Each structure stands twice: as structure tokens, then as C-alpha cells.
């Protein structure tokens, strides 16, 4: 039954105790259930313990009047709270309700077009910087809010699928000449190969392309997850750390560059050609490093493809002047492929 079809008598007949329950109280109940106590929930919610306990007492009183049973009870000092059967049902309903409201709010926000959220990595935020100047006036005039979220490469797909962002600027590993094998709309920005950065001398790592077998013998700083870990997994298998000479696991590119630049660690770091060039030119951390290309034997032949992702078919559901479409078209016009086409000479007859 639709809300508009509900009987007015029914709407006026809901219990007062139910109507007095707020979404904030439901969230507090769910957080207490997740953390085990009012004290721990208060820390998570950044509130006083007494305010959390007051909300629980209010919910318990309402539940007793409505159902004849409290939702939650203390079990003694140092023990987690006990949730009754009614309490467990209330927590499940609270989480479902909060998620449903949040999903509807996000859906309405996207439909109305008052806010658009773009997820970028540290190395793709510059793409957004290229197109924003031409959109700023339109967004400000129409009161559209642009939100920018820093997202790690490994989380791009998850954030997009969960509708936490509307567009993402990111990269993925792909076989040479192929596009992304993902159910998303994709606008390609550029492609590049990977290379090595090293602080070892030319005797240890000569200035010539490193073959696949030779890479396995070099001291490597390897990523714990993400794009370049995907390269190593597809070249050497899921247990690549056991097949390579790993001297350090790194969770951040800048950390690896600083380790090499400070000479706290000697070895090689797999990275993109653009990052390698930026480090050598002094635009990124890492002093006195050398770039060494990769040679033969790497199968499959992989490259890094970078571009813009949106949920499949979502743009078609909105008007051409919706902010999601305005952003997409701005990215399309500013892409290297579009710029190249603009500067190509007209065909002669």
C-alpha cells in the first residue's frame, strides 16, 4: 500500500510511544547493541554516557508500555548489556529503517541534482581540477554542491556500488588494448605502463629493461593491496610474496618513496611511469632515484587504464543538465583523446 492510500484513521491511530521514538534514538540503540554498553557507545557517538543511558531508558519505558518487555538490560559491572527478544527485533528494525531512509535521501538528492559527490585518488584529483573551472559558475548559480571524497584505489568500486559517490576517477589493471571488465559506464582518460623506481646502483640494477625472471630476484618493496598488487598477483600468482624477494610491505606509495629516498631501505618499487617520472623530477618524495623499465616475459601484458566511472545507465535516467551529466560531459571534453581530436588537421579532399 502506498503512503498516499493509507487510511487517515490508521495514521491517527499509531501509538504515541511509537510516534515519540526518533531516528536518533534508534541509532543509539543500534550502536549500543554493536558496542555492548552505554559507555562504549557514548565514546563512539561522542556523547556523555548519561545521555546515552537516558535514551535507552526512554526506549525501554516505551517498549514496556507497547510490548510488555524492555529492550535492553544491564547485566552487572563489566558485562555487556543483555538485549531481549524484543530488543533484538527492535535493533534489526532500527538498522533497516535507518538504511532505508538514507537510501531514499541519497536517491532524492541525486534525482533533484542539488549535490554530486566525486571520489578521487591522490593521483586522479587533478582530473577534477581540470574540468571544475568551467563548471564552477553553473554549479554556484544553481546552488549545486560539489563534494569531493578521497578514495583509495582498492575501494573505488565498493564506494560506487554502495552509492556513496556518484562518479569516481580511478585506475585499474587491464590487458593491453582492452577496456574495463566491470558493469559501469567508463570514460577512458589515459593508459600507461608500470616501471621500477630504485635507489640501487647500476651494478646491482643495470639501466636496461628488467625481465620477469630478473624481477623476482631483486629486493622489492611490495604493496599490501590495490592496483599494483593486482599486477603482481596476475604475473606471479596469489602467493607472489613467496615467489619474490620482498624486503618490505608498504601500504602507501609515498611511504615507499620515502623509504627509498631516505635510504632506510634499499630496493625497487613497482609504480606507474607517471609516478616514476614525477619522483625523478622532484614533484613527489624520493631523492636520487632511478627509473628502470620492465622488459620481456610479463604475461599477461598489463597496463594501467585510468578514467571516469559511473553506475551503469544512471546518467540516462537524468536530464542533460543534471550535474552528473554536466560533470561527465566536461570530463569527456577534457580527456586527452578529445584534446587530440581537436588538434588533428582536417582531412584534405
Amino acid at each position: 500500500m502506498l503512503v498516499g492510500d493509507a487510511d487517515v484513521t490508521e495514521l491517527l491511530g499509531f501509538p504515541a510511544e511509537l510516534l515519540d521514538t526518533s531516528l536518533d534514538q534508534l541509532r543509539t540503540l543500534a550502536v549500543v547493541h554493536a558496542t555492548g554498553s552505554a559507555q562504549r557507545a557514548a565514546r563512539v557517538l561522542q556523547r556523555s554516557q548519561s545521555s546515552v543511558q537516558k535514551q535507552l531508558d526512554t526506549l525501554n519505558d516505551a517498549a514496556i508500555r507497547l510490548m510488555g518487555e524492555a529492550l535492553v538490560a544491564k547485566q552487572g559491572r563489566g558485562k555487556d548489556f543483555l538485549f531481549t527478544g524484543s530488543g533484538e527485533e527492535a535493533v534489526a528494525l532500527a538498522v533497516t529503517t535507518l538504511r532505508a531512509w538514507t537510501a531514499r535521501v541519497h536517491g532524492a538528492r541525486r534525482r533533484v541534482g542539488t549535490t554530486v559527490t566525486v571520489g578521487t585518488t591522490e593521483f586522479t584529483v587533478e582530473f577534477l581540477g581540470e574540468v571544475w573551472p568551467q563548471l564552477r559558475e553553473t554549479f554556484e548559480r544553481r546552488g549545486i554542491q560539489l563534494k569531493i571524497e578521497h578514495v583509495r584505489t582498492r575501494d573505488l568500486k565498493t564506494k560506487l556500488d554502495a552509492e556513496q559517490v556518484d562518479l569516481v576517477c580511478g585506475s585499474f589493471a587491464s590487458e593491453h588494448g582492452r577496456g574495463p571488465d566491470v558493469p559501469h559506464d567508463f570514460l577512458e582518460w589515459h593508459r600507461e605502463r608500470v616501471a621500477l623506481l630504485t635507489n640501487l646502483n647500476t651494478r646491482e640494477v643495470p639501466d636496461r629493461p628488467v625481465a620477469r625472471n630478473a624481477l623476482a630476484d631483486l629486493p622489492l618493496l611490495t604493496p599490501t593491496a590495490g592496483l599494483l598488487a593486482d599486477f603482481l598477483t596476475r604475473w606471479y600468482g596469489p602467493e607472489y610474496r613467496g615467489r619474490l624477494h620482498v624486503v618490505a610491505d608498504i601500504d602507501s606509495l609515498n611511504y615507499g618513496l620515502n623509504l627509498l629516498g631516505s635510504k632506510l631501505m634499499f630496493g625497487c618499487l613497482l609504480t606507474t611511469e607517471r609516478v616514476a617520472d614525477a619522483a625523478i623530477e622532484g614533484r613527489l618524495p624520493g631523492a636520487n632515484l632511478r627509473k628502470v623499465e620492465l622488459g620481456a616475459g610479463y604475461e599477461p601484458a598489463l597496463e594501467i587504464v585510468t578514467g571516469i566511472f559511473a553506475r551503469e545507465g544512471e546518467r540516462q535516467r537524468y536530464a542533460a543538465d543534471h550535474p552528473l551529466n554536466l560533470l561527465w560531459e566536461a570530463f569527456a571534453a577534457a580527456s586527452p583523446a578529445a584534446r587530440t581530436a581537436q588538434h588533428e588537421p582536417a582531412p584534405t579532399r
Side-chain angles (χ1 to χ4, degrees):
M1 177 184 293
L2 297 176
V3 174
D5 297 332
D7 185 83
V8 173
T9 303
E10 179 189 7
L11 294 175
L12 296 177
F14 292 130
E17 293 86 356
L18 179 63
L19 297 177
D20 290 338
T21 301
S22 69
L23 294 178
D24 183 58
Q25 289 173 332
L26 294 180
R27 185 183 70 158
T28 297
L29 181 68
V31 173
V32 170
H33 185 270
T35 59
S37 73
Q39 183 181 37
R40 291 191 287 271
R43 285 199 295 267
V44 172
L45 294 168
Q46 297 184 340
R47 295 178 177 175
S48 66
Q49 182 178 346
S50 61
S51 68
V52 171
Q53 187 60 55
K54 183 177 180 180
Q55 285 189 316
L56 292 179
D57 293 340
T58 300
L59 289 171
N60 272 340
D61 290 343
I64 291 172
R65 290 195 295 271
L66 287 168
M67 299 175 288
E69 181 181 42
L71 302 180
V72 60
K74 296 179 181 179
Q75 293 197 92
R77 188 177 183 85
K79 293 184 178 180
D80 286 356
F81 281 10
L82 173 66
F83 277 75
T84 64
S86 297
E88 294 288 348
E89 291 181 358
V91 168
L93 181 58
V95 173
T96 300
T97 300
L98 291 166
R99 284 175 176 168
W101 268 95
T102 302
R104 290 298 180 93
V105 168
H106 286 335
R109 171 181 57 78
R110 288 191 295 273
R111 175 177 52 80
V112 174
T114 55
T115 304
V116 62
T117 304
V118 181
T120 73
T121 68
E122 183 177 354
F123 301 104
T124 60
V125 68
E126 64 186 59
F127 303 166
L128 184 58
E130 286 192 39
V131 305
W132 176 238
Q134 68 190 75
L135 295 172
R136 182 195 299 273
E137 182 180 351
T138 299
F139 274 46
E140 290 179 350
R141 174 169 45 82
R142 292 174 50 184
I144 300 170
Q145 182 181 8
L146 174 67
K147 290 186 176 180
I148 307 170
E149 183 171 340
H150 180 199
V151 182
R152 305 196 71 166
T153 298
R154 70 190 72 169
D155 300 323
L156 289 174
K157 183 178 182 299
T158 301
K159 292 278 188 179
L160 188 61
D161 290 344
E163 300 188 354
Q164 296 176 5
V165 295
D166 300 308
L167 289 175
V168 291
C169 307
S171 306
F172 62 95
S174 176
E175 294 187 31
H176 180 71
R178 296 185 60 180
D181 186 19
V182 292
H184 299 107
D185 292 342
F186 177 67
L187 173 65
E188 185 172 317
W189 197 267
H190 68 74
R191 292 172 178 256
E192 61 182 314
R193 297 178 299 178
V194 295
L196 288 178
L197 275 174
T198 184
N199 58 359
L200 297 173
N201 60 45
T202 54
R203 180 179 58 83
E204 296 168 298
V205 182
D207 281 325
R208 59 174 180 265
V210 177
R212 178 182 179 276
N213 291 338
L215 181 65
D217 295 327
L218 295 177
L220 297 174
L221 287 70
T222 61
T224 55
L227 180 62
L228 294 172
D230 189 20
F231 273 70
L232 294 175
T233 298
R234 294 171 71 175
W235 284 339
Y236 297 96
E239 304 300 326
Y240 64 83
R241 284 183 177 80
R243 304 180 65 180
L244 301 174
H245 179 200
V246 177
V247 295
D249 288 324
I250 58 171
D251 193 44
S252 157
L253 173 65
N254 281 343
Y255 183 65
L257 292 174
N258 280 314
L259 282 177
L260 293 179
S262 63
K263 296 188 177 181
L264 289 171
M265 192 75 65
F266 287 89
C268 304
L269 176 66
L270 190 69
T271 186
T272 71
E273 288 192 321
R274 291 192 177 204
V275 167
D277 291 338
I280 292 171
E281 294 166 6
R283 293 183 282 117
L284 285 175
N288 301 317
L289 301 181
R290 290 188 299 120
K291 172 185 171 183
V292 183
E293 295 182 354
L294 298 186
Y298 295 93
E299 294 293 340
L302 298 176
E303 56 190 356
I304 294 175
V305 182
T306 302
I308 318 302
F309 294 83
R311 283 179 288 277
E312 186 176 20
E314 183 170 27
R315 294 180 298 109
Q316 287 70 35
R317 298 202 297 268
Y318 302 133
D321 63 349
H322 189 280
L324 183 63
N325 284 319
L326 292 178
L327 269 169
W328 185 273
E329 293 304 321
F331 278 122
S335 68
R339 291 197 296 265
T340 300
Q342 290 174 0
H343 291 90
E344 286 181 351
T348 57
R349 294 185 179 181

